[in-house]
Amino acid sequence: MWFKLKHFIGNIEETPEPIETNIIGKIPNWINGNFLRNGPGKFEIGNHKFNHWFDGMALLHQFKIDNGQVTYKSRFLSSSSYQVNKETSRIAVSEFGTLTMPDPCKNFFQRFLSRFELPKPTDNGNVNFMTYKGDYYVSTETNYMHKVDPETLESVKKVDWSKFIAVNGATAHPHTEPDGTTYNMGNSYSPKAHYNIIRVPPTKTNEDETLEGATVLCSIPSKDKSRPSYYHSFGESKHYVVFIEQPVKLDLMKIVTGKLTGSSISDSIYWDPKLNTIFHLINKQTGTVILHSLICLFYYSNLKHKQVITGHVYNTLSRNFPRRIVIPLNIDKNTPYDQNLNKLPGSTATCIRTSKDKVIFDLHGEELHEYGGLEFPQINYGQYNTRPYRYFYGCGFRHLVDCVHYLHFLFKVWEKPGLYPSEPIFVPSPNATAEDGGVILSVVITPNKSTFLLVLDAQTFEELGRAEVPVNIPYGFHGAFNNKA
């Protein structure tokens, strides 16, 4: 039986005042803070409907956890897009997969001219919660984001990246260092497309400050000036930012002429199998780009073995698998061919130079095919970001289309028929010394039943407790834990 899409997405009413939840089992008393979630919650405006899951109006969620008890509330982000849509009772701002139509209140000539206008970026920050300088923000992938109060979920201030640095947008997945310094990436398009590495200082000089002091660490030109690669996130180690330039491309001309041709942003994204995947390593101290065109990634894994998978949708979607890639930093004319260049102790990854400018990486094994790949990967981020880590957590990919769903701890699995867990967030226990000492939090969608907050022991994956919410919650994207302990 298929999980009906209406349980995943649909118009949901906000719950701006906190409500009690029903506790089953035991929520550890030491968990003290706000579990914040973000995602789309409204897909119909008046008689108009959004075309894509990514388009829905941002609905912010808060699970307040204190002394074993949990309350829940939610609030629509009061973005400019939300407000104008509400006031006009129509979709007035284009989103990722939905192109707005000309205002019917305008005359014919005005409607005709509006098709030649450049598309205005949305500020519908429905992707993620993140922090800059200790403050919480929500964003999508445009140049706008909103500073929000994690207690009230209200928007405090709308912030425009382009007022501080020359970028046309930024990802919703920045990386924060232990000292609070934050790195992100954003594109610029004049005179040609560039990928920019952004650095935001760790602290504020006054309470009203937002992105003041942000700088572009380096700017990497796109291989194709009018068709840069699309990217949703990037990686980092202690000394390097790691950007992967993939063959997933953005057709800028199609975006610019979208109103004229009736094309949304999603229509401009395409895969070019003729292109290689290129790793860019950027030194955090100097901004120097290392191995700009030397290391090319060729995925070669046997993905065609027989599987018993139900559902046309699942069979036509690509699968996501975890890869731990080891990149040798010092490759020159003396680097030997046809032998493993990975010398890290305990690592089973292989990295082999096969020709003058090609290095082949071996990837994941076959075990994860059983679960359809993984999505929403997370680690013990606060303690192990930029450091070697052993464990990661994620959702089995089939959670989007099948009836049994999984949360993975390497190969420790939590699964229940008919339950749909969301992104797992790790919360360390007080004074924990082990990397996996803590709990996993995940919001679980249950068709025709109460949605609940799931709490798992991060080491054993045993269920400790759940907090049932008496209102509908749509399936969201990403979130964060605002620790009050």
Side-chain angles (χ1 to χ4, degrees):
M1 179 180 296
W2 286 103
F3 176 64
K4 294 182 180 179
L5 196 60
K6 68 178 182 180
H7 297 298
F8 251 139
I9 62 176
N11 274 12
I12 302 294
E13 297 298 323
E14 64 180 3
T15 308
E17 297 300 323
I19 58 176
E20 298 294 329
T21 64
N22 178 41
I23 304 298
I24 297 177
K26 182 176 176 59
I27 309 296
N29 290 335
W30 58 263
I31 306 177
N32 181 14
N34 297 326
F35 182 37
L36 306 171
R37 293 277 299 160
N38 195 354
K42 183 183 289 291
F43 294 86
E44 299 178 12
I45 310 292
N47 295 323
H48 300 259
K49 296 181 180 180
F50 288 113
N51 297 329
H52 200 283
W53 184 22
F54 296 173
D55 297 345
M57 294 288 95
L59 182 61
L60 312 182
H61 311 263
Q62 179 208 78
F63 292 84
K64 181 178 284 294
I65 310 173
D66 182 34
N67 197 31
Q69 299 300 309
V70 181
T71 61
Y72 168 80
K73 69 178 177 181
S74 64
R75 187 184 296 273
F76 281 108
L77 176 65
S78 185
S79 63
S80 300
S81 299
Y82 177 80
Q83 292 299 333
V84 70
N85 287 347
K86 185 177 179 180
E87 291 166 5
T88 60
S89 193
R90 71 183 188 91
I91 298 174
V93 181
S94 296
E95 299 289 343
F96 174 77
T98 304
L99 182 70
T100 184
M101 292 294 102
D103 187 347
C105 295
K106 293 181 178 181
N107 62 41
F108 173 80
F109 186 63
Q110 289 173 320
R111 294 199 302 271
F112 174 75
L113 289 180
S114 70
R115 293 187 177 275
F116 295 88
E117 297 173 350
L118 290 176
K120 296 179 180 179
T122 179
D123 67 334
N124 177 32
N126 66 3
V127 177
N128 199 9
F129 274 92
M130 73 283 301
T131 59
Y132 292 98
K133 302 180 182 180
D135 291 325
Y136 277 87
Y137 292 80
V138 293
S139 82
T140 178
E141 295 182 332
T142 68
N143 54 303
Y144 293 116
M145 61 181 183
H146 285 262
K147 181 179 177 180
V148 296
D149 184 332
E151 292 295 332
T152 66
L153 299 181
E154 293 178 332
S155 174
V156 176
K157 190 175 186 178
K158 179 178 174 179
V159 179
D160 183 350
W161 276 101
S162 66
K163 301 297 183 183
F164 300 92
I165 53 176
V167 295
N168 295 88
T171 81
H173 293 284
H175 282 291
T176 302
E177 308 271 88
D179 70 349
T181 301
T182 304
Y183 291 88
N184 205 340
M185 285 193 63
N187 283 4
S188 56
Y189 302 118
S190 179
K192 60 178 291 187
H194 281 74
Y195 314 109
N196 301 285
I197 310 299
I198 305 165
R199 181 162 56 197
V200 179
T203 57
K204 298 183 292 186
T205 58
N206 62 74
E207 189 58 31
D208 295 330
E209 189 174 296
T210 57
L211 297 176
E212 284 83 356
T215 57
V216 173
L217 178 64
C218 81
S219 188
I220 303 169
S222 167
K223 291 296 182 184
D224 186 330
K225 64 180 181 180
S226 63
R227 291 180 173 84
S229 292
Y230 172 78
Y231 54 92
H232 184 68
S233 60
F234 62 100
E236 71 165 350
S237 66
K238 183 177 181 180
H239 300 293
Y240 298 95
V241 170
V242 183
F243 165 53
I244 306 176
E245 190 173 6
Q246 306 175 92
V248 181
K249 310 296 284 185
L250 283 169
D251 188 331
L252 298 183
M253 183 57 66
K254 184 172 284 190
I255 293 176
V256 170
T257 60
K259 282 193 172 183
L260 188 62
T261 62
S263 300
S264 66
I265 293 175
S266 63
D267 295 324
S268 72
I269 299 178
Y270 67 98
W271 170 265
D272 189 339
K274 301 185 298 296
L275 300 178
N276 293 330
T277 298
I278 300 175
F279 276 67
H280 302 274
L281 278 68
I282 300 92
N283 187 297
K284 289 180 178 179
Q285 297 301 315
T286 65
T288 303
V289 181
I290 301 175
L291 303 179
H292 178 82
S293 60
L294 177 64
I295 299 261
C296 297
L297 181 66
F298 296 86
Y299 291 162
Y300 73 107
S301 187
N302 180 16
L303 302 179
K304 298 181 180 179
H305 71 305
K306 186 176 181 180
Q307 302 179 60
V308 181
I309 302 173
T310 61
H312 172 72
V313 174
Y314 179 72
N315 285 329
T316 57
L317 291 176
S318 62
R319 274 58 132 185
N320 302 310
F321 295 97
R323 283 112 168 147
R324 170 163 281 176
I325 299 172
V326 179
I327 301 178
L329 297 178
N330 301 307
I331 294 180
D332 56 30
K333 63 181 181 180
N334 297 318
T335 301
Y337 292 86
D338 300 322
Q339 61 179 262
N340 189 8
L341 304 178
N342 175 24
K343 306 301 181 184
L344 292 179
S347 173
T348 60
T350 60
C351 181
I352 300 172
R353 187 183 187 190
T354 59
S355 66
K356 183 178 179 181
D357 60 353
K358 293 181 181 179
V359 176
I360 303 296
F361 299 90
D362 195 5
L363 306 178
H364 62 84
E366 298 298 317
E367 299 91 343
L368 286 177
H369 287 280
E370 176 185 351
Y371 303 107
L374 292 179
E375 257 292 358
F376 302 123
Q378 287 286 336
I379 64 172
N380 180 348
Y381 189 90
Q383 297 174 333
Y384 285 86
N385 181 41
T386 75
R387 297 175 55 195
Y389 61 89
R390 182 178 180 185
Y391 305 115
F392 76 95
Y393 310 85
C395 287
F397 185 75
R398 286 191 300 184
H399 73 286
L400 289 179
V401 294
D402 207 356
C403 295
V404 180
H405 299 284
Y406 313 88
L407 280 171
H408 298 269
F409 170 81
L410 289 180
F411 288 102
K412 291 186 178 178
V413 179
W414 182 91
E415 58 176 304
K416 301 290 181 181
L419 304 187
Y420 300 80
S422 61
E423 176 187 58
I425 298 294
F426 179 89
V427 180
S429 58
N431 304 315
T433 57
E435 177 185 337
D436 55 350
V439 298
I440 290 296
L441 304 180
S442 175
V443 177
V444 180
I445 307 299
T446 60
N448 304 317
K449 297 180 182 178
S450 173
T451 297
F452 62 89
L453 172 65
L454 174 69
V455 183
L456 299 177
D457 183 301
Q459 292 183 325
T460 66
F461 251 38
E462 293 179 0
E463 182 175 330
L464 300 177
R466 59 178 69 177
E468 294 182 334
V469 182
V471 297
N472 290 330
I473 300 177
Y475 197 91
F477 294 142
H478 303 285
F481 185 72
N482 176 219
N483 202 332
K484 297 293 185 179

